[in-house]
Each structure stands twice: as C-alpha cells, then as structure tokens.
Amino acid sequence: MVDEILQSKNDLKMQIRNLNFYYGTHQVLKNINLNIKSNAITAIIGPSGCGKTTFIRTLNRMNDIILGIKIEGDILFDHKNIYDDDIDVVDIRRKIGMVFQRPNPFPKSIFENIAYGLKINNLTVNKGELRERVEIALRGAALWEEVKDRLNTSALDLSGGQQQRLCIARALAVQPKVILFDEPCSALDPIATAKIEELIQELKEKYTIVIVTHNMQQAARASDFTAFLMLGELVEFDITEKIFTNPSQKITEDYITGRFG
Amino acid sequence: MNKRRFKEKLAYSFLITMISIIVLSICLMFYFIISRGIRVINWEFLTQMPRKAMTAGGIFPAILGTFYLTMGAICFALPLGVSAAIYLNEYAVQNRLVRIIRISINNLAGVPSVVFGLFGLAIFVKFLNFGVSILSGSLTLGILILPTIIRASEEALSAVPNSFREASLALGATKWQTIQKIVLPNSFSGILTGAILSIGRAAGETAPILFTAVTFYSMRLPKSIFSEVMTLPYHIYALMTEGTHPESQVPIAYGTALVLVFLVLGLNLIAVILRNQFRRSKKW
Ligand SMILES: Nc1ncnc2c1ncn2[C@@H]1O[C@H](COP(=O)(O)OP(=O)(O)O)[C@@H](O)[C@H]1O
Ligand SMILES: [Mg+2]
C-alpha cells in the first residue's frame, strides 16, 4: 500500500537505501530502506535505544562529527546521494535542518539566534532584509507575537516551549527543504507540546518533515507515514493510519498498544 | 561526654588549629612585607629612577621592565596557546600523537623555571642572537606560561556545551565558523582568566629572565625590544646580594617586594572577579 503511494519518484524528497550504520564495530542500523515523501510528515517510532536518533542524524550527516562511525548504503536527497564525495556537507546541513531533543538556543539574544544562520550562510544583503527574514522565521514558528517586543533579550530567558519554537525558527531561517525533529517535545509540558505539534502540521505545507517520537499518540495524530524501528531494523513502514489500525506485523501491534517499549 | 563526641571535638579542634596555622602564616608574611616595605613606598618611589647606586630613588625602571616582559610574554603565548588549545580540543582526533602532545605540554608545566632560563639563553640569546633583551626574556617567559594558557583555554573550550556546536553545524555553519562565532565567544572569559593568572605568574618569575633579559642596574629606560631591562623580582635579588649599603638597600628591597606582591595579587583578584562574573552570567 505504502509502495503504491510512494511510487511516484517525483514525490520523494529522500530515499534511504540499504543503510547500515556502525559505532565502531557495534552495528546500530541494519539494512534500512525507506522513502520520505515531499511535504509530508514521516514519523519514526520505536523503543529507546533502537537507533532512531542515529537514523535521523544520518539524514543530514550530523553523525559525521562522531569518531569511529561507519556508514554503508545510499541516502538520496533530491535524487542525489548525500554521502557522495563531491557533496558539500555544510550545504547539505543547511538544506536539511534539524531540531534537537533538548532546546538548544545559543546564549545570544532572540534576534541573534535567528540571524546567526542567515549571517554565516550569507543569505541576506543588508540590515533591513535581515530584520525582515528574522521576523518571517519567527512568524513561521508561531513565536513572533510572543517575542516581538523583546527581540534583544536573551533567548535563555524564554520558556522551554518557546526555546524549542525558537530553535524551529532558527532552522526555518536558513530556508531548508527538509526539517528533522528528534523527539522535539520530550522535554516539554503538554501545552507546549500541543503548540509544537500544531506548528509541525503547518510546516508540512512548505517543508518535508521527519520526526522521531516515542509518543504513540503524537505519531498517530500528527504524521502521514510511520516507520517502526526495532533493534536497528525497520520492522514496518506504512501510512500512519494503517500502522495504527491494522499493522501487518504482530510486533508492531504489540509496541503501539503499549505491550512493551 | 561519650567517646564519639570527644573524637568529634578532637578532630574539629585539630582542623581549626591547622587552618589557624595557615592563616597565621599568611598574615605574618603580609605583616612582615608590609611593615618593612611600606616606609619606602611613596609616589617618588614608584615613578623615579634609582639613584646613588640603588641606595636611593625609585624603582620605576623595574616596574616598567616587569610590565614589558609580561606583556611581551602574553603577546607571544596567548595566540600560540589558544591556537594549540583550539586544535587539541576542536580538531584533533584523539589518537596517540595527540596524547603525546598533551603529555608533553603537561610535562612542560613541571619543568623547573631555571631550566627555561637556560633554554632561553641557548636559543634566544645566543642562537637567534637576540642578546640579553626584552625580546629574549619575553619569549622565555612566554614558553614558561604556555602550558597554563593551553590548559586554561582547553578547559574553557570544553566547557562550551556540545549542543551549541551541533546547533551551529546543523544550520550549515562550517567548523571554523562554529569555533569563531559560537565556541570562542563562549569561552572568552575562561581564556582571559587563564591569561591574567599567567601574567601574574610571569611577573613574579626570576630564574627564566636571569640570563635572558635582566640587568642589575640601568641608567636609562629600555629603548627597544633589544634592550636589557630591570625587573621587580630581580631588583629584589640584586638589592639583597649586591652592593655595599645594606642599611639603605634592604628597605628598598622590601618596598619592591611589596609592589610586586600587590601587583600579582591585584592580577589574581581581577581574574577571580572575572571568573565569578562569568559564572554568574552563565545560564547553561
Ligand atoms: N556516540 C555513540 N557511540 C556509541 N554508541 C552509541 C552512540 N550513540 C548511540 N549509541 C548506541 O546506539 C544505539 C542506538 O542509539 P540511539 O540512536 O540514540 O537510539 P534512540 O534514539 O532510538 O534511543 C544504542 O545502543 C546506543 O547505546
Ligand atoms: Mg534518541
């Protein structure tokens, strides 16, 4: 079923093929094959330690900074392998943004947090444009109204949920095509979580989203496709509705119904 | 009173005694230096040249010489040390070579300072032909404080949370941009604190400059980086060991010691204040 939906190549933002990943000799991802559709939300679920973080970090080559890793297989982004030798990693990371598990704003002002990515990538020509782009990013992350009067105060004074939305705004500012979320709400209260979920729904209009979550409700509510990982293997990948109503694997059902995990 | 309580009291009294001994020694030392040195301290003492074969006049050239040497040392050691720290902490793969480099740096910190003096004499004074000069002395002192600066800088760099680096890289920053714009600004205070403490250390050293920079007595202020200089610690040594008028020289030596001690304490105080300020403002 999912194969039919994901068969039109033009719709695929990323394709993961035969992906193996090792920390030293410890294999963490085992022959993963997965397609990620444009302007859709793909959720990655699975018990903790199954390799979700590792997986999502292979998508923007964030694992490159860890020593002693080995990676096999292809990850195509717009039909080009991001692990090819002629690929500029820095450019890939700009196009494939990332929001981390814990909000990690820079110890700078709210404005500077957003402006940072624009400056280092030389994306703006003058002050006026910079200001404009910062505002657009903050609006995009539904944060503008809350912070517009205190753009020059420290980002660290914001609440956890606001900080996480700031991190989303920061990622939006550099105009990525894909945004990766690694359990973005795990450090947040339910209200802040709801806001972020709502935001992610809006973002899918413009961006391709991959989100790791260990919250079943979140995956069920908020995603179009769901991949279930277990011990580094992709057990099942399908449209979310199917996974949560009629999974093809017994073990998937056991997991989503909370029988383990 | 039971035995347990008695032991408790005994241990407590013992520790109080030990602390008192330490505090007393420090007070005694200060009292000693201040009481003997304060008499000669006045504006003239700080701003005038020595006169009458150092039995009168001021110590201005020694203050200036110490200032030149420490500034020279820090100008040389800070860029070198910070660069080394950045390499070791941000770029180096933790292999055997890097471990050897680290061990060497730590060992450098344990080398007696007179050995640095000999090294400076052989390399800077003789081989590079800088002569006994501010330049040779600064370079020698620079090497002496290099391990402190590297270690303090490395500590400051590694205190910057990795999540900042990751956030920056994930936005498409290069490694160097990340270091320049995120890591260094957030470790600046730590590096500065290390640098100030090093200046204090360098200001008080005698042995490394003994053969490389100092002169016993100078009629004029140094004219260039190739001039010899008088310095505070060596001035004390000279006053106590040379000359024929101890009755007028010894008070000057104590006065000089007082100036030196307050200089070093002042620097340490600045470093401590900076560090506390930094700790308070830091929220991560
Ligand atoms: N930097 C690392 N070095 C070595 N092993 C790691 C590292 N990061 C994660 N692992 C291991 O890889 C496995 C998967 O971890 P992770 O991808 O973080 O799982 P998840 O995000 O699903 O909880 C775990 O067994 C973990 O111990
Ligand atoms: Mg994880």
Side-chain angles (χ1 to χ4, degrees):
Chain A
M1 194 164 168
V2 69
D3 293 333
E4 285 152 35
I5 292 171
L6 294 179
Q7 75 187 174
S8 159
K9 266 201 153 188
N10 297 332
D11 271 1
L12 300 182
K13 200 68 190 169
M14 300 190 82
Q15 292 161 269
I16 294 94
R17 292 194 194 143
N18 307 322
L19 178 68
N20 289 305
F21 186 96
Y22 308 79
Y23 290 112
T25 54
H26 174 40
Q27 183 168 9
V28 172
L29 297 175
K30 295 166 191 160
N31 196 34
I32 308 269
N33 285 280
L34 188 68
N35 289 330
I36 290 166
K37 189 174 173 293
S38 295
N39 299 91
I41 300 175
T42 304
I44 316 287
I45 60 169
S48 91
C50 70
K52 303 182 295 296
T53 295
T54 305
F55 173 73
I56 204 168
R57 287 166 61 105
T58 59
L59 302 183
N60 67 342
R61 297 190 58 171
M62 279 306 280
N63 283 325
D64 289 22
I65 60 178
I66 298 169
L67 294 171
I69 61 145
K70 192 172 94 183
I71 189 158
E72 295 163 352
D74 298 333
I75 294 181
L76 309 189
F77 168 63
D78 284 337
H79 313 294
K80 178 132 185 52
N81 188 355
I82 62 169
Y83 284 90
D84 275 352
D85 291 337
D86 62 337
I87 286 284
D88 181 7
V89 187
V90 167
D91 188 50
I92 286 294
R93 295 204 187 116
R94 186 186 70 71
K95 289 180 181 152
I96 307 178
M98 180 162 232
V99 175
F100 296 82
Q101 194 162 354
R102 305 206 135 265
N104 58 352
F106 299 123
K108 297 171 181 273
S109 72
I110 293 169
F111 184 89
E112 286 301 327
N113 260 278
I114 312 292
Y116 178 75
L118 295 165
K119 286 180 186 166
I120 52 156
N121 288 295
N122 289 323
L123 291 178
T124 51
V125 285
N126 59 44
K127 277 232 165 75
E129 198 190 345
L130 182 67
R131 212 171 297 251
E132 206 172 290
R133 296 278 292 272
V134 169
E135 178 175 339
I136 292 171
L138 285 167
R139 282 188 189 281
L143 191 60
W144 174 254
E145 292 302 327
E146 288 161 61
V147 301
K148 65 181 177 193
D149 298 322
R150 48 165 172 157
L151 291 176
N152 293 318
T153 60
S154 171
L156 302 181
D157 293 337
L158 296 172
S159 72
Q162 288 174 323
Q163 287 190 8
Q164 195 61 303
R165 276 182 283 145
L166 184 74
C167 292
I168 295 173
R170 184 173 67 181
L172 297 181
V174 297
Q175 299 180 312
K177 301 280 181 271
V178 178
I179 307 175
L180 311 172
F181 291 86
D182 186 1
E183 301 196 29
C185 306
S186 65
L188 305 181
D189 62 68
I191 293 170
T193 299
K195 272 192 187 154
I196 298 225
E197 272 182 30
E198 193 187 352
L199 174 59
I200 291 173
Q201 287 302 322
E202 287 166 21
L203 292 178
K204 126 182 165 179
E205 308 255 312
K206 287 197 204 144
Y207 308 91
T208 301
I209 310 270
V210 182
I211 178 169
V212 167
T213 174
H214 60 207
N215 179 331
M216 288 313 106
Q217 285 81 22
Q218 189 172 62
R221 275 196 299 266
S223 69
D224 302 303
F225 300 93
T226 298
F228 174 47
L229 275 184
M230 189 74 188
L231 299 170
E233 287 182 73
L234 181 62
V235 176
E236 191 165 353
F237 173 56
D238 216 320
I239 40 184
T240 298
E241 207 186 310
K242 170 99 176 7
I243 290 265
F244 283 91
T245 53
N246 186 20
S248 61
Q249 307 284 321
K250 173 79 168 58
I251 191 163
T252 311
E253 191 181 333
D254 288 349
Y255 180 69
I256 58 175
T257 53
R259 242 162 269 167
F260 70 94
Chain B
M1 194 157 55
N2 66 30
K3 212 169 161 191
R4 237 156 43 111
R5 282 249 214 95
F6 176 72
K7 276 193 176 165
E8 168 72 25
K9 272 240 158 77
L10 198 69
Y12 184 71
S13 329
F14 174 76
L15 294 176
I16 286 292
T17 315
M18 291 296 136
I19 279 291
S20 310
I21 290 175
I22 292 170
V23 171
L24 211 69
S25 323
I26 294 172
C27 291
L28 214 64
M29 197 177 85
F30 272 92
Y31 172 74
F32 200 61
I33 294 173
I34 292 173
S35 65
R36 297 194 177 196
I38 198 80
R39 269 174 291 151
V40 298
I41 303 267
N42 53 40
W43 186 242
E44 190 187 313
F45 185 72
L46 298 175
T47 56
Q48 300 285 307
M49 302 289 287
R51 279 180 286 110
K52 296 187 192 150
M54 297 199 303
T55 58
I59 57 164
F60 182 62
I63 295 175
L64 194 68
T66 289
F67 177 74
Y68 283 157
L69 282 182
T70 50
M71 285 305 125
I74 206 76
C75 285
F76 164 67
L78 196 60
L80 213 61
V82 172
S83 307
I86 291 174
Y87 175 75
L88 287 173
N89 201 61
E90 305 291 325
Y91 281 95
V93 178
Q94 303 305 319
N95 58 20
R96 181 185 289 171
L97 179 69
V98 168
R99 269 205 301 281
I100 291 174
I101 294 178
R102 272 225 174 77
I103 292 170
S104 312
I105 291 169
N106 285 341
N107 282 336
L108 200 61
V111 173
S113 57
V114 69
V115 177
F116 284 98
L118 283 178
F119 173 79
L121 176 67
I123 301 295
F124 303 128
V125 178
K126 294 278 197 280
F127 182 72
L128 293 174
N129 215 6
F130 294 155
V132 173
S133 63
I134 294 178
L135 184 60
S136 298
S138 294
L139 292 171
T140 312
L141 280 176
I143 296 174
L144 177 89
I145 61 176
L146 206 50
T148 320
I149 292 201
I150 294 176
R151 217 181 299 159
S153 305
E154 262 205 276
E155 239 165 65
L157 292 173
S158 60
V160 177
N162 237 343
S163 63
F164 292 174
R165 293 183 182 84
E166 290 196 338
S168 172
L169 293 173
L171 290 168
T174 62
K175 194 159 187 169
W176 177 240
Q177 282 177 319
T178 302
I179 291 169
Q180 212 186 343
K181 304 251 161 69
I182 302 294
V183 180
L184 280 179
N186 284 303
S187 48
F188 178 73
S189 320
I191 293 173
L192 194 66
T193 307
I196 294 172
L197 289 174
S198 305
I199 293 177
R201 165 95 203 274
E205 282 289 344
T206 319
I209 50 174
L210 201 56
F211 325 122
T212 58
V214 294
T215 176
F216 171 58
Y217 182 59
S218 161
M219 300 287 285
R220 275 169 243 99
L221 294 176
K223 279 203 292 287
S224 78
I225 56 170
F226 294 105
S227 309
E228 312 175 298
V229 282
M230 294 175 68
T231 72
L232 292 169
Y234 185 69
H235 194 55
I236 298 169
Y237 173 76
L239 285 165
M240 298 303 283
T241 55
E242 323 253 330
T244 48
H245 299 280
E247 68 288 349
S248 52
Q249 284 175 214
V250 169
I252 297 181
Y254 276 104
T256 310
L258 191 59
V259 171
L260 181 57
V261 164
F262 271 85
L263 189 82
V264 174
L265 283 182
L267 284 169
N268 287 1
L269 191 69
I270 292 172
V272 169
I273 290 172
L274 260 171
R275 190 164 44 199
N276 289 350
Q277 201 98 29
F278 173 56
R279 288 220 180 111
R280 217 170 312 134
S281 68
K282 191 166 81 172
K283 293 206 189 107
W284 32 271

